[in-house]
Amino acid sequence: MRAGLAGLAIIHAVDREAYYAFDLACPVEPAPWSQLQISGLELHCPQCGSRFEVLSGSGRPLSGPARAPLRSYRVQRVPGQDKLLISN
């Protein structure tokens, strides 16, 4: 099973029962050379310095050279189980 170009970040929204999944590959840097890291409530690229919003599910860039949002994946909770189904 392949999980994104550089792995996935799975985010659970705090204000509602929603989950978001984002590729950890920076849209600016060539994958997989740079993997995004968690910094507070954001994801950031240690190479280019771009920071991304993830709590609302948008993955939009907040600062740095990135102009495109993070690649996102659909997340569904499997009814009656403690499992998530992640797909593109």
Side-chain angles (χ1 to χ4, degrees), residues 4-83:
L5 291 173
L8 295 178
I10 301 169
I11 310 297
H12 181 234
V14 292
D15 60 341
R16 60 189 182 281
E17 192 61 29
Y19 292 88
Y20 310 112
F22 299 100
D23 201 310
L24 287 174
C26 178
V28 175
E29 298 295 323
W33 314 132
S34 181
Q35 186 177 50
L36 297 177
Q37 299 176 350
I38 296 171
S39 177
L41 299 176
E42 303 168 350
L43 290 176
H44 86 277
C45 176
Q47 299 294 333
C48 73
S50 293
R51 301 181 87 71
F52 301 89
E53 188 284 328
V54 293
L55 290 181
S56 73
S58 73
R60 69 182 172 86
L62 297 171
S63 64
R67 297 293 172 248
L70 297 174
R71 180 174 181 175
S72 63
Y73 296 86
R74 280 180 288 175
V75 181
Q76 297 174 310
R77 188 165 187 173
V78 178
Q81 300 181 34
D82 290 333
K83 294 181 181 180

